[in-house]
Amino acid sequence: METAQDVLTALARRYAFGDLEALITQGTLAADGRSAAIAALCAFGQRVLDLDAEDFGMPEAAGEVPRDLLDRARASRMPQTARERPRGALASLRPAYALLLEVIAIRWYRRDMAALVAAVHIASEYLPMLAWEPVLGHAGDPALIGAAVSGEGSRFGVPVEPGSARMCDHTRPERSACERTLRVAREPGPGWRAYLDRQHSQVASALGDCAARCRTPCTVVTRLDDPVRAALTDRCRLAADFTGSALVKLRHAAPVGHGFGVPSPEEVQTAWTRARKSLSHHPLGRKALAGADDSYPLPGLPALFSAIADAELRPDTLLHDVTVRITSTLA
């Protein structure tokens, strides 16, 4: 016969942090000091699983979270003011992509396909910035990006004069976002947060276009050494191909998109198989996917992100470690 502790342990191992916290706060455990610790871990775990990046690493109302877990989450946090330190996901997107890989795997394990597709879509939006990170030395931090994209001969964020020939392939929203990123570090908190919410992903897309699609390149890319530029172009083209792949397009059939259907696990697998076949037409994609580790739910996805990042990316263990803390506390 299952005990209450058995049920709570099973929920923890299924990453059902919200359900577990609800049971804990209803007094499922005796008031022996464990409840508050587990409730705090559950609130933290649910926040990370939900990819609530603006609040990563912040104290939880439910209780105190161990400092080492908070610090690990902060590596993927989006700074909420222009001067916040550390810079989190603006310093590097690699920890965030490692976390995304873990979240995608957990969503697969839980058969939560709508949330999986949403996580894949988030990953696709910032892939061009991940590709640019080795060149910029950061992940598009507005406080630092000006040195790499401004100056003589650059059309980055420069308004198009009425009646003049269009020399930049950026869309109007991309041009607006690029212009904003060059000045937003001087804005107060509300303006900074509005930029992150609405325009930072547009800057990522614009940088991808600069490297992979621009028909009349300006000094944003022509200032780069030829080998660096060639490698960047390959990574950005692969990122663009992923964004247009069958897997990312599933978003439009899910509640997070424009329809009301949720893809089944079989549909996700089929879409990823199609995407892999398409991405393998790209030399960099073919090389990455050829030796893919089939143990990951979407085989080859970590290798693909690693190729775009020009660095090895593996699924994080942050959420797994949260469940270990919870089960050890229950025991």
Side-chain angles (χ1 to χ4, degrees):
M1 182 176 180
E2 284 189 327
T3 65
Q5 184 168 315
D6 292 334
V7 173
L8 297 177
T9 300
L11 287 172
R13 289 174 176 164
R14 281 193 54 78
Y15 304 94
F17 300 118
D19 294 337
L20 179 54
E21 183 183 6
L23 289 174
I24 291 293
T25 54
Q26 289 171 9
T28 306
L29 281 180
D32 56 4
R34 292 182 295 165
S35 296
I38 293 172
L41 286 167
C42 287
F44 171 77
Q46 190 63 51
R47 187 185 301 281
V48 174
L49 187 60
D50 289 341
L51 297 172
D52 185 11
E54 66 180 26
D55 291 325
F56 280 178
M58 299 299 289
E60 296 293 342
E64 187 173 347
V65 179
R67 182 62 182 241
D68 63 308
L69 297 178
L70 288 175
D71 286 345
R72 288 171 64 185
R74 286 192 182 104
S76 300
R77 171 179 162 84
M78 277 292 185
Q80 294 303 288
T81 65
R83 297 183 179 181
E84 181 179 315
R85 297 290 185 276
R87 300 301 279 170
L90 291 180
S92 175
L93 279 169
R94 293 170 186 174
Y97 273 83
L99 181 59
L100 279 165
L101 286 169
E102 184 185 20
V103 168
I104 290 168
I106 289 171
R107 293 302 189 182
W108 177 266
Y109 168 68
R110 289 173 52 82
R111 292 298 189 260
D112 192 351
M113 295 299 108
L116 181 151
V117 169
V120 167
H121 181 261
I122 291 171
S124 73
E125 284 198 315
Y126 290 96
L127 272 182
M129 199 75 84
L130 185 69
W132 267 88
E133 186 175 319
V135 176
L136 296 174
H138 54 84
D141 190 336
L144 302 173
I145 198 171
V149 297
S150 301
E152 186 177 356
S154 172
R155 293 189 288 273
F156 188 91
V158 176
V160 176
E161 295 293 334
S164 64
R166 181 176 173 179
M167 299 295 291
C168 180
D169 285 339
H170 288 166
T171 63
R172 182 173 295 178
E174 286 175 343
R175 287 199 304 274
S176 176
C178 290
E179 186 273 334
R180 182 82 180 280
T181 200
L182 295 174
R183 58 179 171 82
V184 73
R186 299 186 294 274
E187 294 185 15
W192 171 266
R193 290 187 289 274
Y195 162 80
L196 290 178
D197 287 343
R198 301 168 192 160
Q199 293 184 294
H200 194 56
S201 62
Q202 291 277 359
V203 174
S205 175
L207 284 170
D209 289 344
C210 287
R213 297 176 176 176
C214 187
R215 294 167 294 181
T216 55
C218 70
T219 55
V220 170
V221 291
T222 59
R223 72 181 73 186
L224 302 175
D225 293 339
D226 288 345
V228 172
R229 179 178 172 183
L232 174 63
T233 296
D234 282 346
R235 296 198 302 273
C236 285
R237 285 177 176 167
L238 184 57
D241 289 347
F242 179 83
T243 299
S245 71
L247 180 65
V248 177
K249 286 179 179 178
L250 280 179
R251 176 181 184 268
H252 299 290
V256 292
H258 305 298
F260 293 96
V262 176
S264 67
E266 293 74 22
E267 288 172 321
V268 171
Q269 283 183 323
T270 299
W272 178 233
T273 299
R274 289 174 55 201
R276 284 189 60 166
K277 184 176 180 180
S278 176
L279 293 165
S280 292
H281 293 153
H282 190 291
L284 185 60
R286 183 166 57 251
K287 181 180 178 181
L289 295 170
D293 181 3
D294 290 344
S295 64
Y296 191 75
L298 300 179
L301 191 62
L304 188 78
F305 287 173
S306 296
I308 292 170
D310 195 25
E312 184 177 10
L313 298 179
R314 295 181 180 180
D316 204 341
T317 61
L318 177 56
L319 289 163
H320 169 76
D321 293 343
V322 171
T323 66
V324 170
R325 301 286 180 95
I326 292 172
T327 55
S328 64
T329 304
L330 285 168

